[in-house]
Amino acid sequence: MVRQDPVQRSKAIQRKTGKTFHLATRVLPERVRHATYVLYAFFRVADEVVDAEDTAEPAVQRERLEQLRAEALGERETDDPVLSAFAELREEYDIDAEDVNVFVDAMLSDIDKSRYETYEELEAYMDGSAAAWDG
């Protein structure tokens, strides 16, 4: 089970950046509520890297997303409570590493791409950034 401190940090991120989603999450059963806080916070942390386009060069954004990927997959130690909680959650709920990779790859494409030439390209992006994970 994910430790309480990272859950509280994740909950604070959700409360600040997704008020409606936070209110909805509060009524979920506790057995999934904490996991939902962590999942939301993980997605938000990655999205904030991409949204930092005005303050970070694309190379810095890509480097941070690759670091985030390694930490989320448990391949690299982290002091970020959200990423450590997500790595634990991924193991506990058997979230496939490929799903994490598809998501991070979609975030990476957000850095450089604002237009998709084919529907297949758009669909691949949506699969990683907008589609719900199977699980």
Side-chain angles (χ1 to χ4, degrees):
M1 183 52 137
V2 177
R3 295 180 319 278
Q4 192 61 27
D5 287 345
V7 170
Q8 291 304 318
R9 175 70 183 121
S10 297
K11 184 178 178 179
I13 289 170
Q14 190 191 64
R15 187 182 312 120
K16 179 180 178 187
T17 62
K19 292 175 180 36
T20 304
F21 199 85
H22 175 68
L23 291 173
T25 302
R26 290 177 53 196
V27 300
L28 292 173
E30 188 170 339
R31 65 183 166 74
V32 294
R33 186 179 324 137
H34 292 172
T36 303
Y37 290 139
V38 172
L39 284 171
Y40 178 93
F42 169 67
F43 297 138
R44 190 71 203 146
V45 166
D47 194 50
E48 298 226 348
V49 171
V50 174
D51 289 347
E53 62 197 30
D54 294 335
T55 58
E57 295 293 321
V60 173
Q61 290 173 292
R62 282 190 287 279
E63 181 180 328
R64 177 62 185 127
L65 285 172
E66 291 299 348
Q67 177 186 355
L68 183 145
R69 181 196 314 258
E71 291 170 354
L73 293 173
E75 298 170 351
R76 179 178 179 168
E77 290 292 319
T78 182
D79 58 0
D80 185 310
V82 170
L83 292 171
S84 64
F86 179 80
E88 288 179 33
L89 187 80
R90 194 181 67 74
E91 292 294 322
E92 182 178 340
Y93 288 90
D94 198 29
I95 297 171
D96 194 317
E98 184 57 26
D99 290 329
V100 175
N101 287 324
V102 168
F103 170 69
V104 174
D105 289 346
M107 295 298 97
L108 285 164
S109 74
D110 256 353
I111 294 171
D112 299 314
K113 204 172 213 20
S114 60
R115 181 177 175 84
Y116 294 87
E117 299 302 322
T118 67
Y119 182 76
E120 289 77 24
E121 284 182 354
L122 177 61
E123 197 169 62
Y125 168 74
M126 291 187 310
D127 184 46
S129 68
W133 279 0
D134 295 338

